[in-house]
Amino acid sequence: MSTTTQTPTRTRTAAAVPIPLARLVKVELRKSFDTTAGLWLLASIGLLSLLTTGAVIAWSSAGEQTYQTFTLAIGRPLSIVLPIIATLTVTSEWSQRSGLTTFSLVPHRRRVVLAKALALALVAAPSMLLAFGVGALGHLVGTAIRGTEPVWNLTWASVGQFALGNVLGVLVGFTLGLLVRSTAAALASYFVITFVAPPLLMLLATSQAWFHDLHPWVDPTVPQNALFGPAALGSDQWQQLAVTSIVWLALPLAWGLARLVRAEVK
């Protein structure tokens, strides 16, 4: 009687290869154009730039139509639209219920957040370049209509402040998206922070002497708005920007990222 010995076969499971970060960024960038809201928001950057340029040509005096005036004027609507795009980039995973698929394919959520941030950078950088380009074109058209010489007075300090102001605005929208994770609530919070709270704080600063000197150290919009002004920031303003950015931006951003990593996806 013979016996046969069977040896168990060992199956090797191939190690899961992580999805490349470049592919994640490409996917997140495509998401920005997939929805109607995202597409119109991106298109509104160009439309608002043209409308603002036309407004400067029509209503500003000949002496005010400098390259710096056009560029900084375009920067104002840009600083409103880019944070909204940043908010929608994060909240879309929760409002459209695609987070379960996204975080199942990419379990490491910090990689998804990093991909979203890089995709936003690829949207924000060309938008800022568009502002400089449309501003230059508007300046040439405006001076040609009025018969004056172009004044190319935009300094490198103004360029840096313009870029920093938009970066901080994008981070504000991104942070609200991480913290709230609901499109309606995040956008409502953004408009309250941007358009409701600053006038109230300004009213408090003008009516209460004890809050007057404290105001720029508490309200982050004061030093951030100064970034879009024609003058370079002073040392006090840079300190106020650093303090308000740490308190109202860096700490909430870290908290929002920690919450998103632990949040239950439904």
Side-chain angles (χ1 to χ4, degrees):
M1 183 176 179
S2 61
T3 58
T4 57
T5 305
Q6 295 182 351
T7 58
T9 58
R10 297 181 178 177
T11 59
R12 289 184 179 179
T13 58
V17 179
I19 300 175
L21 182 61
R23 189 183 304 171
L24 294 178
V25 174
K26 184 179 179 180
V27 171
E28 295 299 334
L29 192 60
R30 188 172 67 244
K31 288 180 182 178
S32 301
F33 299 89
D34 281 347
T35 62
T36 304
L39 183 61
W40 275 104
L41 277 173
L42 291 172
S44 69
I45 294 175
L47 294 175
L48 288 173
S49 299
L50 293 175
L51 290 174
T52 305
T53 300
V56 174
I57 294 174
W59 288 305
S60 64
S61 62
E64 294 175 340
Q65 290 194 13
T66 65
Y67 182 39
Q68 187 180 54
T69 301
F70 280 92
T71 304
L72 296 181
I74 295 172
R76 298 307 302 171
L78 193 67
S79 66
I80 297 174
V81 176
L82 286 179
I84 296 176
I85 295 176
T87 300
L88 294 177
T89 300
V90 181
T91 59
S92 61
E93 299 291 352
W94 309 89
S95 60
Q96 299 177 16
R97 300 186 182 278
S98 60
L100 185 60
T101 303
T102 300
F103 296 132
S104 296
L105 295 173
V106 188
H108 300 286
R109 298 185 187 181
R110 287 186 177 89
R111 296 189 72 232
V112 177
V113 174
L114 177 59
K116 290 181 181 294
L118 293 176
L120 276 173
L122 293 177
V123 173
S127 300
M128 286 185 270
L129 293 177
L130 177 66
F132 291 116
V134 174
L137 181 60
H139 181 43
L140 291 174
V141 173
T143 53
I145 292 174
R146 294 181 179 269
T148 57
E149 291 294 326
V151 179
W152 305 100
N153 62 339
L154 190 65
T155 63
W156 285 110
S158 298
V159 172
Q161 290 183 182
F162 179 88
L164 179 59
N166 281 292
V167 168
L168 291 176
V170 170
L171 288 177
V172 169
F174 197 73
T175 301
L176 286 173
L178 291 176
L179 284 172
V180 182
R181 298 194 303 275
S182 169
T183 300
L187 290 179
S189 301
Y190 170 71
F191 284 112
V192 168
I193 292 172
T194 306
F195 299 107
V196 178
L200 295 177
L201 292 174
M202 178 63 71
L203 179 62
L204 181 63
T206 54
S207 60
Q208 301 294 327
W210 64 270
F211 189 68
H212 183 270
D213 294 334
L214 190 62
H215 180 212
W217 298 91
V218 175
D219 185 0
T221 61
V222 174
Q224 288 178 11
N225 288 336
L227 291 172
F228 295 98
L233 268 66
S235 58
D236 289 343
Q237 290 175 305
W238 283 114
Q239 293 174 20
Q240 293 161 4
L241 181 66
V243 170
T244 53
S245 297
I246 291 173
V247 174
W248 297 108
L249 192 57
L251 295 179
L253 181 62
W255 184 36
L257 181 59
R259 288 189 61 200
L260 185 139
V261 170
R262 298 181 177 89
E264 181 182 0
V265 182
K266 299 179 181 179

